[in-house]
Amino acid sequence: MATTKTTKSAKPTKAVKAAKTTKAAKSVKTTRTSAAVAVAQPAFVKPMTREDVTDLIYAAKISKGIKWSDVADKLMLSKEWTTAACLGQMTLTKPQAELVGKIFGLPAQAVALLQVVPYKGSLPSAVPTDPLIYRWYEIVSVYGTTIKELIHEEFGDGIMSAIDFSMDITREPDPKGDRVHVVLSGKFLPYKTY
């Protein structure tokens, strides 16, 4: 009869125990170090820009169904100037900015940015690609020299101000299809002799 010898599993040696303990300690230390590094390094937060404010306003306009003319009525200003201001092209006073902030639900930082003089010029490229804006570019390309000639003939050498300026855009009913009626009014500024 054969006898089978049963062996107990061998106990880990001191060296194996030490290796496991060291490995576990390194793992804990690495975890703690990584956590400490993550906490120690402040996260970089990109400051809000005027473009961000425009995006917030536009998103709120869409989600709340706000019309530019309604905002203008509350500000008691033209819809043209109000729209330009909300799209980042004009500077609002503190009361105006606070009211716009309330209408669109803007954070305090956005309200503050509405009061900062913006970098003017909203087109992303020299030649606009948006079809409606391109028509204005086309009008100036085709009629620019005519506009210049007629203004100089009537007023002399100078420019039409875009600062002392107003604009009115209305719908003009027409049986052949409604028309866009645009009136631009700018103060004439003559060149000075010095």
Side-chain angles (χ1 to χ4, degrees):
M1 225 175 155
T3 55
T4 310
K5 186 176 177 185
T6 331
T7 58
K8 286 186 177 181
S9 59
K11 286 186 178 181
T13 63
K14 286 183 182 180
V16 172
K17 281 184 182 177
K20 285 183 180 178
T21 305
T22 304
K23 187 176 179 182
K26 281 183 182 176
S27 174
V28 169
K29 187 176 180 182
T30 304
T31 305
R32 286 184 187 155
T33 305
S34 299
V37 170
V39 172
Q41 294 177 343
F44 175 75
V45 178
K46 180 182 166 274
M48 186 179 286
T49 65
R50 190 68 182 258
E51 291 80 14
D52 295 331
V53 176
T54 299
D55 290 344
L56 289 172
I57 288 172
Y58 201 69
K61 178 188 183 299
I62 292 168
S63 70
K64 295 179 178 185
I66 298 169
K67 294 184 104 182
W68 294 124
S69 57
D70 296 335
V71 179
D73 289 345
K74 289 179 183 174
L75 287 172
M76 295 186 288
L77 296 167
S78 74
K79 69 182 180 299
E80 293 79 11
W81 190 92
T82 300
T83 304
C86 290
L87 296 179
Q89 295 302 302
M90 301 292 170
T91 308
L92 283 81
T93 64
K94 185 174 183 179
Q96 291 167 342
E98 288 171 347
L99 183 54
V100 167
K102 184 177 176 184
I103 292 166
F104 292 105
L106 301 176
Q109 187 180 8
V111 172
L113 282 169
L114 288 171
Q115 300 168 64
V116 175
V117 177
Y119 184 86
K120 302 214 192 270
S122 59
L123 299 180
S125 61
V127 177
T129 57
D130 178 85
L132 192 140
I133 297 172
Y134 181 80
R135 293 288 85 73
W136 284 95
Y137 177 80
E138 182 180 36
I139 289 167
V140 172
S141 294
V142 173
Y143 293 101
T145 53
T146 302
I147 293 167
K148 175 182 168 54
E149 182 63 26
L150 293 173
I151 288 173
H152 288 316
E153 184 175 89
E154 183 67 31
F155 294 92
D157 192 12
I159 62 167
M160 182 182 95
S161 177
I163 295 171
D164 191 342
F165 175 85
S166 65
M167 173 174 38
D168 187 41
I169 301 172
T170 56
R171 177 181 227 139
E172 188 178 290
D174 188 296
K176 296 176 187 172
D178 289 357
R179 303 178 69 80
V180 179
H181 184 79
V182 180
V183 176
L184 306 175
S185 177
K187 179 179 179 181
F188 180 75
L189 301 171
Y191 284 103
K192 293 184 179 180
T193 305
Y194 54 94

